[in-house]
């Protein structure tokens, strides 16, 4: 479904991603893990067309999307929940969701809205509250809901658990599983590799811009590299 | 005649010009909120609105309402071109550079207007006669009422656009969180383009309504633009309500000053107010979401 081929992205002259290739198949949940500064966010922002690539191609459902604008990529069916959530704080919760459906005609959005409210009922209750007044967990739910309103077939999630209480993180990850059961393909970036690998089919490990390991999620979870990097157990330091 | 007996007249003319300052200030705010750019060509939209209408009416013999409509459309196109040709290519530069560019565009527009339409001041006929109406013993030019009515309607329209329509909310979203907006498919460049179109349209209408009262010449946009900017800062930079309040306050204070100091100093009043507000209360009367008061 998504194919990234030998992608290199530079900030100025400094490369942040070096010849990274990865694939996401329809219906999969794929984890992209790696330490801070590995280039995970850079990769997602480049897929969405926010950052410009230096080398390489990106295709989605057989179509080359490398040189499209962010708003064109959204309409192709790639939703993106950015790190730090980036909701619109001065607008109401409902307006945030409606803007997610900005590219669609009005009649089409009721089903999407119902689906979001089914996943995150709190957003229905808080509809007329200013989004900036929501708690961190609620803002994350809103950011996910807003991305779902663009009616994506592939959802990019950037650090969805960042700064959230463990209980809230569990709720959000079970929502991801439900979304995936309904047919949504997910590419998820996480530092908390435990959470994301638990719901993923496959995973990629990224370090300082290089792709260093890939494989089924269960296998990756047991590998020495992942254990020593994230889970603070095993590895050389133990 | 004592200065005090002049007050009612000065008040009505102050309110009238205040309405125009308010519209110019709203133009500044609309563009700033969408793009963080201060468009110093804002006053030129007003000048062009008046002068192009005059050209169609006198030169082309086109009926007044049609001439006005054509002028508004033409000025909106000029506003859009300003964004596409001047502001858009500089979208990655720091904020000072597009600001300088709009200042340059302002000089270009006023001199081009002087070349094409001549440098003599123009005046349009009033919409509905010249005979003043007596309201409470004060004679009021009917055109002043037109200006106030039009300002009121434009304010309501802008309010509906920015608070009731999804397009306005998309503009706000794009200015408060550009990344979040891009990721749901709201193109920032398109929003900035819309803001330039709206500001140009509002400016042109202001010019058409005011030209029957004050002479408009090719170079009157600069001063009007600067005063609209002062009004926007005075009311609270970045706030629509602040722009309106600042516009009327500036118009009234400036007009009243004529009763007490020689009228030649009238234009200086606005800039003295600007200096005072920057010293004493930089965030303006209503406060500004863009100016951090803790820094002052």
């Amino acid at each position: 479904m998504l194919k990234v081929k030998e992608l290199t992205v530079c900030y100025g002259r400094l490369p942040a991603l070096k010849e990274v290739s990865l694939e996401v198949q329809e219906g999969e949940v794929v984890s992209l893990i790696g330490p801070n500064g590995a280039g995970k966010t850079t990769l997602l922002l480049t897929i969405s067309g926010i950052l410009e690539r230096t080398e390489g191609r990106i295709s989605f459902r057989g179509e080359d999307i490398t040189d499209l604008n962010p708003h064109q990529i959204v309409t192709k069916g790639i939703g993106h929940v950015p790190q730090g959530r980036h909701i619109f704080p001065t607008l109401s919760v409902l307006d945030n969701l409606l803007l997610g459906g900005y590219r669609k005609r009005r009649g089409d959005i009721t089903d999407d809205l119902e689906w979001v409210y089914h996943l995150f009922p709190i957003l229905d209750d808080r509809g007329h509250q200013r989004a900036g007044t929501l708690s961190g967990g609620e803002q994350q739910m809103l950011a996910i809901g807003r991305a779902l309103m663009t009616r994506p077939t592939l959802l990019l999630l950037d650090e969805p658990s960042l700064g959230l209480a463990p209980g809230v993180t569990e709720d959000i990850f079970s929502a991801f599983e439900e979304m995936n059961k309904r047919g949504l393909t997910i590419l998820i970036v996480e530092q908390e590799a435990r959470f994301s690998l638990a719901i993923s089919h496959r995973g990629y490990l990224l370090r300082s811009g290089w792709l260093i390991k890939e494989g089924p999620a269960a296998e990756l979870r047991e590998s020495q590299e992942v254990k020593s990097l994230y889970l603070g157990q095993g590895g050389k330091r133990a | 005649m004592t200065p005090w007996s002049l007050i009612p007249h000065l008040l009505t003319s102050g309110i009238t010009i205040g309405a125009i300052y308010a519209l110019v200030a709203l133009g500044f705010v609309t563009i700033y909120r969408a793009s963080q750019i201060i468009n110093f060509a804002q006053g030129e939209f007003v000048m062009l609105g008046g002068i192009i209408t005059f050209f169609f009416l006198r030169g082309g013999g086109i009926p007044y309402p049609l001439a006005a409509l054509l002028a508004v459309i033409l000025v909106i196109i000029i506003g859009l071109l300003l964004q596409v040709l001047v502001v858009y290519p500089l979208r990655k530069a720091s904020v000072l550079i597009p600001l300088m560019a709009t200042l340059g565009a302002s000089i270009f527009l006023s001199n081009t207007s002087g070349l094409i339409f001549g440098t003599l001041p123009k005046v349009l006929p009033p919409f509905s006669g010249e005979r003043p109406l007596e309201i409470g013993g004060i004679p009021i030019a009917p055109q002043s009422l037109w200006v106030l009515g039009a300002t009121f309607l434009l304010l309501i329209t802008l309010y509906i656009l920015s608070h009731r329509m999804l397009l306005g909310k998309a503009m706000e979203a794009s200015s408060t969180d550009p990344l979040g907006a891009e990721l749901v498919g709201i193109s920032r460049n398109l929003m900035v383009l819309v803001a330039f179109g709206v500001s140009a349209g509002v400016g042109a209408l202001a010019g058409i309504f005011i030209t029957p009262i004050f002479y408009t010449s090719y170079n009157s946009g600069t001063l009007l633009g600067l005063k609209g900017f002062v009004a926007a800062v005075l009311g609270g930079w970045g706030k629509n309500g602040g722009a309106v309040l600042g516009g009327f306050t500036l118009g009234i204070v400036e007009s009243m000053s004529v009763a007490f100091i020689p009228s030649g100093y009238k234009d200086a009043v606005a800039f003295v107010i600007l200096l005072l507000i920057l010293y004493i209360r930089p965030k303006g009367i209503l406060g500004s979401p863009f100016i951090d008061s803790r820094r002052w």
Side-chain angles (χ1 to χ4, degrees), chain B residues 8-275:
Chain B
H9 300 266
L10 294 175
L11 189 64
T12 52
S13 83
I15 291 173
T16 309
I17 188 73
I20 298 304
Y21 293 160
L23 291 178
V24 178
L26 274 173
F28 273 107
V29 171
T30 303
I31 287 179
Y32 185 79
R33 285 171 66 99
S35 65
Q36 259 82 58
I37 290 167
I38 299 171
N39 170 34
F40 274 116
Q42 193 61 41
E44 309 309 328
F45 296 150
V46 182
M47 175 275 291
L48 288 170
I51 286 193
I52 294 175
T53 306
F54 180 89
F55 173 75
F56 282 139
L57 190 68
R58 289 280 176 269
I62 297 167
Y64 205 163
L66 190 62
L69 181 69
L70 284 176
V72 172
I73 293 170
L74 211 58
V75 175
I76 289 177
I77 292 171
I78 292 170
L80 297 177
L81 285 177
L82 178 66
Q83 198 273 338
V84 172
L85 300 178
V86 177
V87 176
Y88 178 76
L90 298 171
R91 67 195 176 283
K92 285 181 181 156
S94 75
V95 285
L96 272 180
I97 290 167
L99 185 147
M100 303 276 229
T102 62
L103 207 55
S106 155
I107 296 168
F108 172 80
L109 287 173
S110 75
N111 285 295
T112 309
S113 162
L115 275 176
I116 297 176
F117 305 114
T119 52
L120 287 176
K122 321 259 189 290
V123 67
L124 285 167
F127 294 0
S128 53
E130 312 214 16
R131 220 162 60 102
L133 306 164
E134 287 261 337
I135 299 175
I138 307 161
I140 293 176
Q143 190 63 27
S144 290
L145 297 179
W146 277 104
V147 170
L148 287 179
T151 305
F152 186 66
L153 278 179
L154 277 173
L155 291 182
I156 291 179
T157 312
L158 284 177
Y159 178 83
I160 291 172
L161 171 71
S162 54
H163 295 287
R164 290 284 172 270
M165 285 170 65
L166 203 57
L167 177 66
K169 287 169 182 171
M171 287 171 78
E172 184 173 345
S174 167
S175 73
T176 53
D177 198 317
L179 175 64
E182 288 281 357
L183 289 177
V184 295
I186 299 167
S187 158
R188 184 180 144 81
N189 293 323
L190 186 65
M191 292 302 123
V192 176
L193 188 66
V194 171
F196 270 85
V198 169
S199 293
V202 169
L205 283 168
I208 293 164
F209 278 87
I210 200 70
T211 305
I213 302 180
F214 299 96
Y215 285 92
T216 299
S217 62
Y218 75 105
N219 60 1
S220 47
T222 313
L223 197 57
L224 260 176
L226 285 174
K227 287 185 183 170
F229 176 71
V230 173
V233 174
L234 173 64
W237 182 245
K239 275 192 176 166
N240 285 342
V244 175
L245 182 67
F248 281 108
T249 310
L250 180 63
I252 291 168
V253 170
E254 188 186 81
S255 182
M256 289 294 195
S257 73
V258 176
F260 306 102
I261 56 175
S263 63
Y265 290 116
K266 196 180 82 172
D267 289 333
V269 169
F271 300 105
V272 171
I273 290 178
L274 179 64
L275 284 180

Side-chain angles (χ1 to χ4, degrees), chain A:
Chain A
M1 184 180 214
L2 178 77
K3 278 192 186 135
V4 174
K5 218 175 148 196
E6 290 170 7
L7 191 69
T8 299
V9 180
C10 298
Y11 288 116
R13 284 171 58 203
L14 230 67
L17 281 181
K18 298 153 197 158
E19 295 165 26
V20 169
S21 297
L22 65 79
E23 257 184 66
V24 180
Q25 306 295 334
E26 186 127 28
E28 269 191 318
V29 179
V30 174
S31 276
L32 188 61
I33 55 181
N36 250 338
K40 299 170 303 218
T41 297
T42 303
L43 178 55
L44 293 197
L45 289 175
T46 312
I47 294 172
S48 281
I50 301 285
L51 297 177
E52 275 173 37
R53 60 102 176 76
T54 314
E55 296 287 337
R57 313 294 309 172
I58 302 167
S59 70
F60 182 62
R61 304 186 124 181
E63 193 181 342
D64 193 304
I65 59 162
T66 319
D67 297 318
L68 296 186
N69 292 325
H71 54 273
Q72 291 169 317
I73 292 174
V74 174
T75 45
K76 297 284 176 203
I78 298 183
H80 189 146
V81 181
Q83 186 177 349
R85 308 189 270 267
H86 289 272
I87 53 158
F88 309 127
T90 54
L91 296 174
S92 74
V93 170
L94 180 61
D95 283 339
N96 268 267
L97 292 174
L98 291 179
L99 285 173
Y102 179 72
R103 295 240 137 217
K104 292 184 309 223
R105 275 177 292 119
R106 226 158 223 289
D108 291 335
I109 60 174
T110 13
D111 286 351
D112 299 294
L113 210 52
E114 252 170 50
W115 171 228
V116 170
Y117 288 158
H118 165 77
L119 289 168
F120 306 115
I122 188 94
L123 296 181
D124 196 3
D125 303 338
R126 300 274 154 103
H128 294 284
Q129 205 170 314
R130 274 162 67 106
T133 65
L134 296 180
S135 73
E138 289 161 356
Q139 289 193 11
Q140 187 64 59
M141 292 175 192
L142 178 58
I144 297 163
R146 186 183 65 183
L148 288 177
M149 294 294 293
T150 67
R151 200 179 294 164
T153 48
L154 169 68
L155 187 62
L156 310 177
L157 295 163
D158 199 346
E159 303 276 3
S161 79
L162 198 71
L164 300 187
V168 180
T169 306
E170 274 168 36
D171 289 349
I172 286 179
F173 272 77
S174 65
F176 294 156
E177 283 187 289
E178 195 176 345
M179 281 146 54
N180 179 241
K181 278 201 194 100
R182 278 259 299 236
L184 185 65
T185 309
I186 295 175
L187 176 58
I188 178 168
V189 157
E190 260 292 357
Q191 286 219 48
E192 290 282 344
R194 264 175 307 159
F195 287 119
S196 65
L197 286 175
I199 64 162
S200 294
H201 302 100
R202 292 187 305 114
Y204 290 90
L205 177 59
L206 207 59
R207 190 163 54 191
S208 2
W210 296 99
L211 203 59
I212 57 171
K213 199 171 173 66
E214 59 175 290
E219 203 176 283
L220 215 55
R221 200 154 32 153
E222 295 307 316
S223 73
Q224 281 306 308
E225 291 97 328
V226 173
K227 278 187 175 170
S228 63
L229 268 168
Y230 299 102
L231 309 178
Q233 45 178 294
K236 285 169 195 150
R237 266 181 299 166

